[in-house]
Amino acid sequence: MVFQERASRDRGVIQDNRLMELHLYPGNRCNRDCDFCTVFGSPKGWYHDYTSDHLDAVLRTVILHDLGAVKFYGGEPTLNADNVIWAIAYLRDHGFTGAIVIYSNGIQADRLLAILTSDPLGKTTASLNYSIATGDGAPQMPLTSLHKLEAYETEHPGAIAIGHPDIVDSGRGIDPFTGQESRPKASHTCPHCYPVLKTDGTVHACPFAVENPAPHFQLGDLSSDPEAIAQNFRAFFTWLEQVHEPYAVDHNLPACTVCGSHLDDLPTPQFLEPAATPSHP
């Protein structure tokens, strides 16, 4: 397999009250129903298109130059490829020149490649789900799709990466996961990901726990001032380091297990403004 993992970037970077990265989440509709899915993805999941309101919020929130990154995930982005292609064009037309990443299971390879090649700057790449790409713990994607994606990566090195093999105890979590016992498991320390703008209009602190509506994760919404979102994100990081991780260590729990099952034991972060109330479209 030709795909490589990408090196992690710096965590928690904020410049002039803009985040270095932002995830975009349209819902958990997917063409797979994996028992380890962090967002409860399934063909029966919810979905809502990205709109100009969402993307204008992105443009106010993320670093616009080459350091910035916007990451589309779900669910499965290729199920709504036309909307993703439109969203990429909108971001480019309005001055975003940073990286764009599509998190995909790769099953609909032709649609994924159409998304990648639609970017006029040629800076949209993909990250494939480890289990579905390799068949380790999930039915492997069709070999016809795998071979198309491998050929594209061979011709365009770095265009398609493979996701990390870690099993994250979030969503459906690791029980009952059928992958190899040697696969890494989560530690006490949160990976400190960047936030998520959901198409229900809320800004959520964690892409893994994005379907968890607890107030601990609510950084704002489409109407929030970008400076407030940045400050709330800083407050969330402080909470992780001073409250969340010590609790995980004291109780010998993986970080995601704390968020999935023990948030009632923890105070909410000291956010700048009242938390938004999430609701699905």
Side-chain angles (χ1 to χ4, degrees):
M1 187 169 290
V2 300
F3 313 118
Q4 303 294 319
E5 282 191 63
R6 289 196 181 98
S8 297
R9 300 216 298 166
D10 291 339
R11 307 296 187 184
V13 175
I14 299 173
Q15 285 187 357
D16 298 325
N17 291 312
R18 289 178 174 269
L19 308 178
M20 186 170 77
E21 296 184 4
L22 189 67
H23 296 80
L24 299 187
Y25 180 76
N28 58 12
R29 185 180 301 168
C30 189
N31 50 356
R32 280 287 179 92
D33 193 1
C34 300
D35 56 19
F36 55 83
C37 183
T38 62
V39 302
F40 304 96
S42 80
K44 296 180 180 180
W46 71 277
Y47 168 82
H48 196 274
D49 275 342
Y50 303 106
T51 69
S52 57
D53 287 342
H54 301 124
L55 301 180
D56 288 342
V58 173
L59 294 164
R60 293 191 300 268
T61 304
V62 76
I63 293 171
L64 296 178
H65 56 71
D66 287 0
L67 182 64
V70 174
K71 299 182 173 183
F72 291 76
Y73 80 124
E76 173 50 44
T78 60
L79 296 183
N80 308 285
D82 289 345
N83 185 243
V84 175
I85 289 171
W86 170 82
I88 292 171
Y90 189 98
L91 293 173
R92 295 307 192 202
D93 288 345
H94 290 79
F96 178 70
T97 62
I100 295 174
V101 183
I102 311 298
Y103 287 87
S104 174
N105 59 31
I107 292 170
Q108 299 198 70
D110 289 334
R111 291 189 179 190
L112 179 57
L113 294 177
I115 292 171
L116 301 188
T117 57
S118 74
D119 182 0
L121 298 186
K123 295 168 64 175
T124 295
T125 62
S127 181
L128 300 177
N129 179 276
Y130 178 92
S131 296
I132 295 173
T134 63
D136 176 10
Q140 191 175 31
M141 73 171 73
L143 292 181
T144 52
S145 296
L146 181 64
H147 294 158
K148 287 179 181 179
L149 298 176
E150 287 182 321
Y152 189 84
E153 168 61 15
T154 299
E155 294 174 6
H156 306 84
I160 301 177
I162 192 166
H164 58 74
D166 306 56
I167 306 305
V168 178
D169 187 14
S170 180
R172 293 195 187 100
I174 59 174
D175 183 21
F177 180 72
T178 58
Q180 296 177 2
E181 289 300 319
S182 60
R183 293 274 290 276
K185 303 299 189 294
S187 70
H188 302 310
T189 303
C190 171
H192 291 64
C193 300
Y194 285 88
V196 185
L197 174 62
K198 302 173 65 174
T199 49
D200 68 2
T202 58
V203 182
H204 194 284
C206 177
F208 292 125
V210 70
E211 287 291 329
N212 187 330
H216 302 68
F217 301 111
Q218 308 308 324
L219 304 184
D221 59 25
L222 290 178
S223 65
S224 298
D225 187 285
E227 182 176 352
I229 290 174
Q231 291 192 39
N232 285 345
F233 183 49
R234 289 190 183 100
F236 183 74
F237 262 37
T238 298
W239 175 81
L240 287 175
E241 293 160 0
Q242 296 182 1
V243 178
H244 180 279
E245 185 173 344
Y247 183 95
V249 171
D250 289 345
H251 294 80
N252 193 28
L253 293 170
C256 289
T257 300
V258 174
C259 287
S261 304
H262 298 271
L263 281 181
D264 288 345
D265 297 337
L266 303 181
T268 57
Q270 294 183 347
F271 291 137
L272 182 67
E273 60 182 29
T277 303
S279 61
H280 293 327

